[in-house]
Amino acid sequence: MTGEVAVLGAGMHPWGKWGRGFVEYGVVAARAALADAGVDWRDVGSIIGADTVRGGYPGYVAGATFAKALGWQGARVTSVYAACASGAQAIGTARTQILAGLADVVLVVGADAAPKGFFRPAGGDRPDDPDWLRFRVLGATNPAYFGLWARRRMAVHGDTLEDFAQVKVKNAAAGALNANARYRKAVTAEEVAASAVVADPLRLLDICATSDGAAALVLSSMEFARRHGASDPVRIRAVSTVTPRYPNTVLDLPDIATDSAAAVAPAEETFRASIARAAYEEAGIGPEDISLAEVYDLSTALELQWYEDLGLCAEGEGAKLLRDGATSAGGRVPVNTSGGLASFGEAVPAQAIAQVCEVTWQLRGAAGARQVAGARVGVTANQGLFGHGSSVVAVR
């Protein structure tokens, strides 16, 4: 397919709380990806940086920041910010440049040094900023929204606290096998239930942490990949970056009210479902073709929602899919084989890139003890503030 680009290299800096700057983490990940690809930095024609807005001024020009740190060599440079979807937007930008013939080889890097606790808006009064307003008017932190989503699933679909806990158990088991994960310890459902309540009904172990970390990819045209000796590389076939439709009737970050549907009928599908549909349509596949998925598990309840939004099961059947073992290791469609955000935490500009790293290693058959047998098609799902939807489909 003419829309495909090759994934020649993938690399990460292990996630945790390291107390250093995001540039250092990004350089480690970038060099690992270049080494994995067998590509010299001087052969990179473009670098796309997924921005962090917490690292001071350099964070707003992340592409040039990493280009300078790796050594100026004249490459085209781009910086991308789309909140938690920044990494997927950066991948989409890289793919566009390659398909447009602007560069044969593109390095994509995302890195962050996150604050302790939960994310909050930058200082200053901004009454036209809904993210600022929801903190100032409601005192609604991110976990408050996670709790609302959990309560909604319990009320509408009958999900239980035990279902939420089993998501954490599953992801912690995968994270225990991943050298790049921050949390590498299996947990039990009893331990989840015994952890402190953060935003009822969610416990501490139901909610992802904030982390330092980095991820990087080396992408290329298929022609360059063949010249480079990669005759059957992992290929990115689709990148979805869609926005919601009016009226949006499901409450979501950072909104504090839903749009009225009194005069305009709601769309036939939710925003999150439209993210996956756009990716599937571009890739020419359906959910039945998926070997594995990496999804944005800010909370255990939200992972169950993604099962439905990705079409892995019908609406309201996410918990049943989990209970049946379909999303666990060895199941029909393992989800978050990396350990997910439950095991990594959020390093915002890096996380969508990290998802593609995991899919790449799985499709190569190089995921070690986490390996999904016979993996051929992987999908990612991520969502950033203010309607930044993202999904990537990779194939082998």
Side-chain angles (χ1 to χ4, degrees), residues 15 82-86 119 142 146 167 171 206 208-209 252-253 271-272 275 293-307 309-310 335-336 338 340-342 345-352 355 379-385 388-390:
W15 293 29
C84 294
S86 296
F119 295 118
N142 291 8
F146 307 158
V167 174
N171 289 349
D206 283 304
C208 75
D252 209 348
L253 275 166
F271 169 43
R272 288 195 183 96
I275 297 170
E294 285 286 306
V295 306
Y296 187 47
D297 59 318
L298 291 169
S299 75
T300 51
L302 189 56
E303 175 167 324
L304 297 179
Q305 185 67 43
W306 278 116
Y307 297 173
D309 294 334
L310 287 175
V335 175
N336 283 341
S338 66
L341 296 181
E346 281 200 273
V348 169
Q351 54 208 30
Q355 290 179 326
V379 64
T380 72
N382 204 287
Q383 181 185 356
L385 279 178
H388 289 112
S390 72

Side-chain angles (χ1 to χ4, degrees), residues 161-171 188-189 192 300 322:
L161 296 180
E162 291 73 23
D163 292 326
F164 301 154
Q166 286 302 324
V167 174
K168 174 66 176 183
V169 170
K170 172 184 71 70
N171 289 349
T188 65
V192 178
T300 51
L322 174 77

Side-chain angles (χ1 to χ4, degrees), residues 56-272:
Y57 181 75
Y60 290 97
V61 286
T65 300
F66 293 127
K68 179 181 179 182
L70 291 164
W72 294 125
Q73 46 87 309
R76 181 185 298 269
V77 67
T78 308
S79 297
V80 175
Y81 183 70
C84 294
S86 296
Q89 296 263 359
I91 291 168
T93 301
R95 176 172 174 254
T96 299
Q97 289 187 359
I98 291 168
L99 295 178
L102 298 176
D104 270 341
V105 183
V106 180
L107 174 66
V108 180
V109 189
D112 206 358
K116 184 178 180 180
F118 53 78
F119 295 118
R120 55 192 178 275
D125 290 345
R126 296 187 310 282
D128 58 347
D129 177 358
D131 199 34
W132 179 86
L133 281 172
R134 52 113 174 181
F135 276 84
R136 186 67 175 264
V137 175
L138 298 180
T141 64
N142 291 8
Y145 285 80
F146 307 158
L148 289 171
W149 261 106
R151 279 294 174 198
R152 183 180 188 275
R153 288 200 59 84
M154 294 173 77
V156 176
H157 301 311
D159 293 3
T160 66
L161 296 180
E162 291 73 23
D163 292 326
F164 301 154
Q166 286 302 324
V167 174
K168 174 66 176 183
V169 170
K170 172 184 71 70
N171 289 349
L177 304 174
N178 193 334
N180 288 311
R182 176 179 178 181
Y183 300 106
R184 301 190 60 198
K185 179 180 180 295
V187 302
T188 65
E190 291 73 23
E191 288 174 316
V192 178
S195 63
V197 174
V198 174
D200 185 75
L202 299 178
R203 273 60 180 168
L204 182 65
L205 294 184
D206 283 304
I207 297 172
C208 75
T210 59
S211 292
D212 298 355
L217 295 165
V218 175
L219 308 181
S220 81
S221 65
M222 296 304 297
E223 293 77 9
F224 179 92
R226 284 190 285 270
R227 295 197 306 269
H228 192 61
S231 59
D232 184 28
V234 172
R235 306 179 306 281
I236 291 178
R237 182 171 287 180
V239 182
S240 164
T241 56
V242 300
T243 54
R245 282 183 168 84
Y246 176 84
N248 189 11
T249 58
V250 179
L251 184 66
D252 209 348
L253 275 166
D255 300 328
I256 57 178
T258 58
D259 291 338
S260 172
V264 180
E268 293 183 0
E269 62 185 357
T270 64
F271 169 43
R272 288 195 183 96

Side-chain angles (χ1 to χ4, degrees), residues 363-395:
L363 297 184
R364 286 179 179 174
R370 307 188 313 281
Q371 183 62 49
V372 175
R376 303 298 296 176
V377 181
V379 64
T380 72
N382 204 287
Q383 181 185 356
L385 279 178
F386 307 109
H388 289 112
S390 72
S391 178
V392 178
V393 173
V395 301

